[in-house]
Amino acid sequence: MKPSNRPRILLVDDEPDLLDLMELTLLKMGLETDRALTVTDACSRLANTPYDLCLTDMRLGDGEGLEVIAAANALPVPVPAAVITAYGNAGNAVAALKAGAFDYLAKPVALDQLRTLVKSALQVPASSGQAATARGLIGNSSAMQDIRARIAKLARTQAPVHISGESGSGKELAARLIHETSNRADKPLVAVNCGAIPEALMESEFFGYRKGAFTGAEADRTGFFQAANGGTLFLDEVGDLPLSMQVKLLRVLQEKKVRKVGATTEEDVDVRIISATHQNLAALVEAGRFRQDLYYRLNVIDLLMPSLRDRAEDIPEMARFLLEKLGGRAVELERDAEKALCTYAFPGNVRELENILERALALCENARIRAADLNLVPPPPSTAAMPGSKYPLQDYLDQTERAAIIEALEQTRYNKTAAARLLGVTFRSLRYRLERLGIE
């Protein structure tokens, strides 16, 4: 049993100076740490102590960090593990992902990246049994109950899933939960931000390359598809893929084969695709910026993540959860602060809420967060009364969406199935929008 409720991290490295630096950083985040210098010691500690996360060097005196990852994943309650190594090349990153690591950092370790990695890991459920009520999908609103039920159903299928929703609404967390509760949970989940890869490098990043395929290709390299083989490939911001890459991705999804750049033969891959974007893919198809055939391949089942303002009743519970995660377990959220949060629009959703609370923790006095500590920016006072105004933005968007839905319903004589098809959304998505907008 843990001596406290604070998350505990196992740090595995044979460099005491690096261990000291990481330990100090994590302690400041309100976390507890243990350290191990060898593979043997690390595996022993994992077997005898419950951890929330393991960070391990790739090369240790008595073996490889991949052995530590394997031990962490083999536990009855698997422990999320990540690799930190001086040998930060793509081959090691892929090997770590194949072994079950959820992420990878290169030395010298940037402390902001370390903090981001740890925060991300502690939002991922430690076992599939916990995933349906996982940390991060907080709240008992009808919207969140529906999301959790949908995730449980999606995990039982192998069909591609497309997750839509605003930035910060939890799309990646939902993708991870689908993977963790699926029969692919013991295989890698590889997350790719499609908008962060230069177009010239996309093919080699996705499919890998052979030695000598181009200048600088000094050794064979596997790509994202090979790294995710047997598991799940999460394509975040898939709407940012250029058309040339969309063609190649479509072929892989159809043939279930990839060809490395410079290779003459293809390799079989078994990958479940989960995609996400904050953009409207149907609108991108209409505008000619996204292939319709790829859209239908990706959007077999859709999952719409609700915005935080659409589940305002969950905000107090979410705020308390985030405060504990930020190390403010003893901090009290005053009633005026709670009320201010519940009436705030949160354009950045949960990500913005966490940022606001982290700032408030630094500003508050006597371990009590008041409304003034939140520094919320109120909407412009005069715009609410302006007819036809585009501000506040959410009101304008709601009005536009309501008008489009009513028009589609009128055109289809209030046949909701036909209206959903006309709008380019699923029947379930339309039903959710009708409830949210109060359309009878």
Side-chain angles (χ1 to χ4, degrees):
M1 187 174 180
K2 293 184 185 179
S4 79
N5 291 324
R6 293 192 295 172
R8 181 176 290 272
I9 317 280
L10 177 61
L11 304 174
V12 187
D13 204 296
D14 53 9
E15 296 182 36
D17 289 346
L18 179 58
L19 285 173
D20 290 341
L21 179 62
M22 291 194 296
E23 190 169 47
L24 181 61
T25 301
L26 298 180
L27 289 174
K28 286 182 177 178
M29 294 174 66
L31 308 173
E32 294 185 354
T33 62
D34 288 333
R35 53 171 67 189
L37 300 174
T38 64
V39 170
T40 302
D41 187 18
C43 292
S44 175
R45 288 179 178 275
L46 284 167
N48 293 287
T49 306
Y51 291 99
D52 297 280
L53 172 65
C54 175
L55 301 177
T56 179
D57 190 15
M58 180 68 90
R59 296 190 180 180
L60 299 160
D62 63 338
E64 297 284 333
L66 299 183
E67 299 174 57
V68 179
I69 294 173
N73 285 322
L75 293 169
V77 179
V79 175
V83 165
I84 303 175
T85 176
Y87 304 90
N89 58 45
N92 281 338
V94 170
L97 292 169
K98 283 184 174 180
F102 78 92
D103 210 342
Y104 177 91
L105 286 178
K107 295 179 183 177
V109 175
L111 295 184
D112 58 338
Q113 293 179 357
L114 173 63
R115 285 189 286 265
T116 299
L117 182 149
V118 170
K119 288 179 180 180
S120 174
L122 295 181
Q123 292 185 56
V124 178
S127 71
S128 59
Q130 296 174 332
T133 56
R135 296 166 289 178
L137 282 185
I138 301 297
N140 291 306
S141 64
S142 59
M144 290 312 295
Q145 290 181 34
D146 183 58
I147 288 294
R148 286 193 286 267
R150 288 272 286 165
I151 285 175
K153 291 179 181 178
L154 294 176
R156 295 195 291 268
T157 79
Q158 297 297 314
V161 177
H162 180 67
I163 307 174
S164 57
E166 298 176 6
S167 295
S169 58
K171 296 187 292 295
E172 181 169 354
L173 178 58
R176 290 186 179 277
L177 295 180
I178 293 170
H179 172 77
E180 291 290 339
T181 49
S182 74
N183 60 2
R184 295 175 178 264
D186 60 339
K187 300 296 183 181
L189 168 69
V190 178
V192 180
N193 186 333
C194 299
I197 305 172
E199 183 173 353
L201 301 178
M202 276 194 170
E203 187 174 1
S204 60
E205 289 290 323
F206 274 86
F207 310 136
Y209 55 78
R210 296 295 302 273
K211 178 180 178 180
F214 49 82
T215 303
E218 299 177 353
D220 286 1
R221 173 182 170 180
T222 53
F224 297 134
F225 271 91
Q226 294 96 330
N229 195 29
T232 304
L233 183 60
F234 174 53
L235 302 178
D236 197 9
E237 297 304 342
V238 70
D240 290 336
L241 283 174
L243 286 169
S244 59
M245 189 63 199
Q246 292 177 30
V247 175
K248 295 168 183 173
L249 177 60
L250 176 65
R251 186 179 185 282
V252 172
L253 298 184
Q254 291 173 333
E255 305 296 331
K256 300 187 184 302
K257 295 177 182 291
V258 296
R259 178 181 294 167
K260 291 181 177 179
V261 176
T264 57
T265 59
E266 295 181 321
E267 307 171 42
D268 293 330
V269 288
D270 172 24
V271 172
R272 183 186 189 180
I273 298 293
I274 301 178
S275 60
T277 182
H278 71 282
Q279 302 182 71
N280 185 328
L281 274 190
L284 294 181
V285 171
E286 193 71 25
R289 293 167 50 198
F290 202 86
R291 292 182 62 96
Q292 187 177 57
D293 44 9
L294 179 58
Y295 169 77
Y296 288 123
R297 279 279 177 177
L298 295 176
N299 198 34
V300 175
I301 306 175
D302 77 314
L303 179 67
L304 173 63
M305 296 301 293
S307 64
L308 191 55
R309 64 184 164 275
D310 287 334
R311 53 186 188 98
E313 62 265 44
D314 293 333
I315 291 176
E317 184 182 357
M318 175 65 75
R320 287 189 289 271
F321 165 78
L322 291 173
L323 283 173
E324 289 189 8
K325 180 181 146 189
L326 293 167
R329 189 173 295 274
V331 173
E332 184 174 348
L333 193 65
E334 293 286 289
R335 187 172 295 276
D336 67 330
E338 187 175 296
K339 183 178 179 181
L341 290 173
C342 289
T343 56
Y344 182 63
F346 285 107
N349 291 291
V350 178
R351 191 178 296 128
E352 182 181 8
L353 174 60
E354 182 172 4
N355 180 270
I356 288 170
L357 292 174
E358 189 168 15
R359 183 177 62 219
L361 269 176
L363 296 174
C364 72
E365 297 179 357
N366 303 319
R368 301 171 78 87
I369 294 180
R370 299 171 175 81
D373 300 320
L374 299 172
N375 280 334
L376 299 179
V377 179
S382 60
T383 56
M386 292 171 58
S389 170
K390 294 182 174 60
Y391 309 103
L393 178 60
Q394 189 56 45
D395 291 347
Y396 172 73
L397 294 175
D398 285 349
Q399 291 170 11
T400 303
E401 185 176 11
R402 183 181 289 105
I405 290 174
I406 292 174
E407 182 179 343
L409 288 170
E410 290 174 346
Q411 287 187 32
T412 58
R413 298 183 179 180
Y414 288 85
N415 182 319
K416 293 179 182 177
T417 302
R421 190 180 302 114
L422 181 62
L423 290 164
V425 300
T426 65
F427 177 79
R428 191 183 188 90
S429 177
L430 175 60
R431 187 177 65 183
Y432 168 75
R433 287 173 161 88
L434 292 172
E435 292 177 358
R436 183 175 70 82
L437 297 170
I439 300 174
E440 298 296 333

